[in-house]
Amino acid sequence: MGSLNERLYHTGDFILGLFIWMFSLFVIEESLRMPARGHLGILCYPGFVPFFSGLMIFLLSSWQIARSYRGALRAGGLAFAEWIRDVRLSLENRRFLAVLFIMCLYVIVFLGRIPFIVATFLYHLAIFSYLRIGRPPAVFFWSVGATLLVAVVLPYFFDMPVP
């Protein structure tokens, strides 16, 4: 039987593999929903690269899941409760999850519901405030600057539409 650290390591790999595996299924599904053009079918549509990228991620994450599960069994099994406790107690993990939450809030809640420039400003303001990049005037200044770069300057120079 392996140590608790070894079990935690394999459990973390297993959980991450599951998340990446689910993400790959999403990428594959969305790539197949893209409109096909041309007489060559799949080779002539914009979902060609995302489909094969998603397929490779699917295969590699499946391998990761199987490998981590076998390792966990050799070490005494998966340690979900201990892993969740360690994630909660780790400052780095909590910070990562907070940033991930802000990013999901931006993508899922803000984009498409409020004007893009406002959503982007609120996103930058939240991220920069959470990461404490300076005092409130500096946070505001950098939020405005990043928003102008993302929502005005880059779309202008690259002639790309914003949501």
Side-chain angles (χ1 to χ4, degrees), residues 29-74:
E29 178 187 348
E30 290 302 313
S31 70
L32 292 174
R33 295 171 86 190
M34 291 181 174
R37 298 183 198 131
H39 65 286
L40 296 176
I42 194 171
L43 297 174
C44 289
Y45 85 112
F48 179 75
V49 171
F51 174 77
F52 283 104
S53 297
L55 187 61
M56 293 309 299
I57 293 170
F58 175 81
L59 293 173
L60 291 171
S61 62
S62 298
W63 178 65
Q64 175 69 24
I65 291 167
R67 186 172 161 238
S68 61
Y69 186 71
R70 279 193 315 270
L73 290 180
R74 281 193 306 272

Side-chain angles (χ1 to χ4, degrees), residues 67-152:
R67 186 172 161 238
S68 61
Y69 186 71
R70 279 193 315 270
L73 290 180
R74 281 193 306 272
L78 294 169
F80 287 112
E82 295 89 349
W83 183 83
I84 290 171
R85 184 198 52 174
D86 276 6
V87 167
R88 279 191 8 250
L89 295 176
S90 169
L91 177 63
E92 290 177 10
N93 288 334
R94 288 196 314 263
R95 288 176 62 85
F96 168 75
L97 292 173
V99 168
L100 183 64
F101 173 77
I102 294 169
M103 290 172 64
C104 289
L105 187 69
Y106 173 66
V107 172
I108 296 169
V109 177
F110 290 170
L111 290 182
R113 291 183 174 78
I114 60 177
F116 179 71
I117 197 163
V118 174
T120 304
F121 173 74
L122 292 174
Y123 167 74
H124 286 120
L125 190 64
I127 287 287
F128 295 159
S129 295
Y130 179 73
L131 296 177
R132 297 182 191 134
I133 64 161
R135 293 189 171 135
V139 169
F140 182 80
F141 172 79
W142 289 113
S143 297
V144 168
T147 300
L148 290 175
L149 178 69
V150 170
V152 178

Side-chain angles (χ1 to χ4, degrees), residues 15-27 58 61 65:
I15 292 170
L16 183 61
L18 284 176
F19 279 116
I20 294 172
W21 185 80
M22 289 186 290
F23 175 73
S24 71
L25 291 176
F26 171 75
V27 169
F58 175 81
S61 62
I65 291 167

Side-chain angles (χ1 to χ4, degrees), residues 1-12 68 71-72 74-77 79:
M1 198 166 282
S3 70
L4 179 60
N5 283 340
E6 188 179 358
R7 290 176 59 210
L8 291 173
Y9 173 80
H10 291 299
T11 303
S68 61
R74 281 193 306 272

